[in-house]
Amino acid sequence: MAVDVFPWTKSKPRKTQPRSVAGTRKHKCGQAHTNLSTHTNQGSFPNMAFGLCLRSPIFYLLVHFLLIVSTLCPVHSSQFGNHSVANQTFRPKEELRKLNAIRNRLQQINKPPVKTIQSPDGDIIDCVASHKQPAFDHPLQKGHKPLDPPERPRGHIQIDDLSENFQLWSLSGESCPEGTIPIRRTREEDILRASSIRRFGRKKTLNRVRRDTSGNGHEHAIGYVTGDEYYGAKASINVWAPLVENPSEFSLSQMWVISGSFGDDLNTIEAGWQVSPGLYGDRYPRFFTYWTTDAYQATGCYNLLCSGFVQTNSKIAIGAAISPTSSYAGGQFDISLLIWKDPKHGNWWLEFGAGTLVGYWPSFLFTHLGDHASMIHFGGEIVNSASSGSHTSTQMGSGHFAEEGFGKASYFRNMQVVDWDNNLIPLSNLKVLADHPNCYDIQGGVNNAWGNYFYYGGPGRNVFFFSGSPNQLGSFFL
């Protein structure tokens, strides 16, 4: 929803984690060898109306394979002996195996559409019969259909506010027919960007999930609650289009519903927005979901890229670009998300806005979250690949520090949790923490209009910072 003015002047600042402020902003976050990067104009949307075949990576792989075969034809000549140059340079069997593996993976993800919609940003949206979506490939879901809506948490105001289109594909004026759901089509180039075909659609794992964020490349600025049993969470999340420096990095803002230890049994349910060039091939902010039951190792995935999340909504395409976005010292836009556990069937449901159900994660997917969550996190996360030998300039949130406040720094507002009796309640013990405050920081508070809120984010590599050592988050993950 669009945000114009909020009475933040009556806010009572919440104390953040201690941080040394011995000096003024006079030093660097990382080694800044270049000036700060700025947003670039993404220009007009690509024309995807024709020529897709000729631009397909699989097409080029096939041509490459045929050229290899033709090159190998004269190998029988004695001048090459037993050391064929062609055989040393090319591996046609491996190329063919990769080609077949990509085709098989695309067949698993992309279901036959009833209707296809061309999005202005170049995405192709397939309208797929709801009972044929990827979730129903799961052995425990075979032959099933999406469940009916559950009971909402008490204290939740239900208003259908989807009259305002918030995704670029819906600007085409087209919509999916009743009984279908919109799914962003996965293309060959999407899979080719992944580290492997097997890891496509999953978060990158760096050795093991760690109890601190030191050294794993993932950096956070979060608000969190722990020490109780949680059955859901809600927040309104300010949407921006942060700069992401490297295609292997991302910037996201989301909610985490967490249970289990921070070892191999970590369970999470996640939803929010992200800019991820590696996953989507562009730098648009996109609505996303994620889940895992083994600390991001072999289970779970983004969006509908595996058998997991069951979508019930025909208007929202998970993974599609969000529009509009917020602008510095200009208009502000946020999205409200609610995740909660259905008291009757135990499934975890996702709602957008104030009444629009998106779908659910079946309870059988989880171990610890089969009961309740033990921690809720809200906030931002980036990946710092340090590819140039210095800290990344990838931005979090708006790319500005929390102290700049409304219209300039990104925010979370109206954060709540769901208790054991299915009631939405305010946060009583919200803590805020940034593990690299020289690059990304956070400041929390409470007021009547926004309830529990915080501003967060930053520019990454920059020429100034508050001197002091980074905080270490006592229990976090990728």
Side-chain angles (χ1 to χ4, degrees):
M1 59 180 291
V3 178
D4 294 320
V5 178
F6 289 95
W8 63 88
T9 55
K10 298 182 181 179
S11 64
K12 300 178 181 179
R14 179 181 296 274
K15 293 183 179 179
T16 59
Q17 293 289 337
R19 181 173 61 189
S20 171
V21 290
T24 58
R25 288 182 177 263
K26 63 180 181 179
H27 216 289
K28 303 173 183 177
C29 164
Q31 296 299 315
H33 300 295
T34 60
N35 293 331
L36 279 176
S37 299
T38 57
H39 283 287
T40 57
N41 191 339
Q42 296 187 21
S44 59
F45 296 130
N47 183 356
M48 300 295 292
F50 56 86
L52 291 174
C53 176
L54 294 179
R55 293 196 297 272
S56 165
I58 284 188
F59 174 84
Y60 285 117
L61 281 172
L62 184 57
V63 171
H64 182 61
F65 174 70
L66 293 175
L67 288 173
I68 291 168
V69 172
S70 64
T71 303
L72 290 176
C73 288
V75 167
H76 299 290
S77 172
S78 60
Q79 63 178 318
F80 290 99
N82 294 324
H83 303 283
S84 167
V85 175
N87 279 332
Q88 291 177 5
T89 305
F90 302 110
R91 295 179 176 85
K93 290 184 179 180
E94 290 185 12
E95 295 287 341
L96 186 58
R97 277 197 298 269
K98 183 177 182 180
L99 213 151
N100 288 332
I102 292 174
R103 285 174 176 167
N104 291 336
R105 188 79 175 95
L106 288 172
Q107 288 179 354
Q108 292 173 353
I109 298 171
N110 295 328
K111 303 301 181 183
V114 173
K115 177 181 178 180
T116 295
I117 300 172
Q118 181 73 55
S119 175
D121 63 343
D123 280 354
I124 297 176
I125 304 298
D126 290 326
C127 302
V128 176
S130 59
H131 64 282
K132 292 184 178 180
Q133 62 181 289
F136 295 110
D137 291 337
H138 194 286
L140 296 180
Q141 292 275 70
K142 290 284 188 181
H144 290 203
K145 293 183 178 181
L147 298 176
D148 293 332
E151 176 188 353
R152 259 75 162 194
R154 287 181 288 275
H156 176 47
I157 300 175
Q158 184 176 335
I159 303 172
D160 189 357
D161 61 355
L162 255 192
S163 57
E164 182 179 17
N165 295 330
F166 85 104
Q167 292 190 308
L168 284 174
W169 75 274
S170 62
L171 299 180
S172 66
E174 297 285 337
S175 61
C176 284
E178 185 178 351
T180 68
I181 62 167
I183 301 179
R184 178 182 181 269
R185 182 182 298 179
T186 300
R187 310 185 202 196
E188 309 93 77
E189 53 263 40
D190 295 330
I191 297 179
L192 288 170
R193 284 192 303 271
S195 59
S196 70
I197 297 173
R198 185 181 66 86
R199 292 298 307 174
F200 172 70
R202 292 176 177 164
K203 285 191 176 183
K204 182 180 180 182
T205 57
L206 301 175
N207 298 321
R208 290 172 58 85
V209 173
R210 300 168 59 98
R211 281 192 167 272
D212 63 73
T213 55
S214 176
N216 69 11
H218 292 247
E219 301 179 12
H220 309 83
I222 63 149
Y224 65 99
V225 291
T226 187
D228 206 342
E229 296 181 356
Y230 306 101
Y231 295 82
K234 182 184 179 184
S236 293
I237 310 173
N238 199 197
V239 181
W240 294 78
L243 177 144
V244 174
E245 178 183 306
N246 191 298
S248 65
E249 299 174 343
F250 64 65
S251 180
L252 59 77
S253 296
Q254 66 168 78
M255 299 191 300
W256 291 262
V257 177
I258 308 163
S259 192
S261 70
F262 285 82
D264 294 340
D265 64 340
L266 182 72
N267 286 206
T268 75
I269 290 173
E270 309 171 29
W273 62 263
Q274 66 179 167
V275 176
S276 179
L279 184 60
Y280 304 106
D282 59 34
R283 286 171 167 77
Y284 292 111
R286 293 173 177 271
F287 175 51
F288 82 97
T289 63
Y290 199 90
W291 66 276
T292 182
T293 62
D294 62 356
Y296 307 97
Q297 296 181 80
T299 65
C301 64
Y302 281 109
N303 309 332
L304 304 183
L305 296 177
C306 67
S307 299
F309 186 82
V310 180
Q311 183 163 335
T312 60
N313 188 279
S314 63
K315 297 179 181 178
I316 295 174
I318 304 175
I322 298 174
S323 179
T325 59
S326 301
S327 60
Y328 187 79
Q332 300 299 298
F333 179 76
D334 60 31
I335 57 174
S336 295
L337 299 176
L338 166 66
I339 298 172
W340 85 102
K341 193 171 192 284
D342 174 13
K344 185 175 181 180
H345 299 290
N347 303 308
W348 291 86
W349 282 79
L350 173 64
E351 181 180 281
F352 174 88
T356 304
L357 288 177
V358 182
Y360 60 92
W361 293 269
S363 59
F364 65 74
L365 294 174
F366 304 101
T367 52
H368 298 289
L369 280 175
D371 188 8
H372 62 268
S374 57
M375 183 179 291
I376 305 292
H377 287 186
F378 310 87
E381 176 184 0
I382 65 95
V383 169
N384 172 30
S385 65
S387 58
S388 62
S390 60
H391 193 285
T392 182
S393 61
T394 286
Q395 299 172 340
M396 181 189 294
S398 68
H400 293 262
F401 286 109
E403 65 189 34
E404 295 196 41
F406 183 77
K408 298 179 180 180
S410 188
Y411 62 79
F412 275 64
R413 65 178 176 88
N414 298 113
M415 292 174 285
Q416 297 174 285
V417 294
V418 180
D419 69 9
W420 64 274
D421 198 29
N422 203 33
N423 296 302
L424 262 175
I425 59 174
L427 307 182
S428 59
N429 59 342
L430 179 70
K431 299 179 177 66
V432 295
L433 193 148
D435 52 27
H436 290 75
N438 303 333
C439 303
Y440 317 99
D441 68 357
I442 183 168
Q443 294 180 4
V446 181
N447 66 27
N448 292 332
W450 280 19
N452 288 108
Y453 71 89
F454 58 74
Y455 292 103
Y456 70 103
R461 185 175 68 242
N462 65 93
V463 295
F464 301 113
F465 81 104
F466 286 114
S467 60
S469 59
N471 294 313
Q472 294 300 317
L473 185 56
S475 54
F476 216 80
F477 46 90
L478 299 182

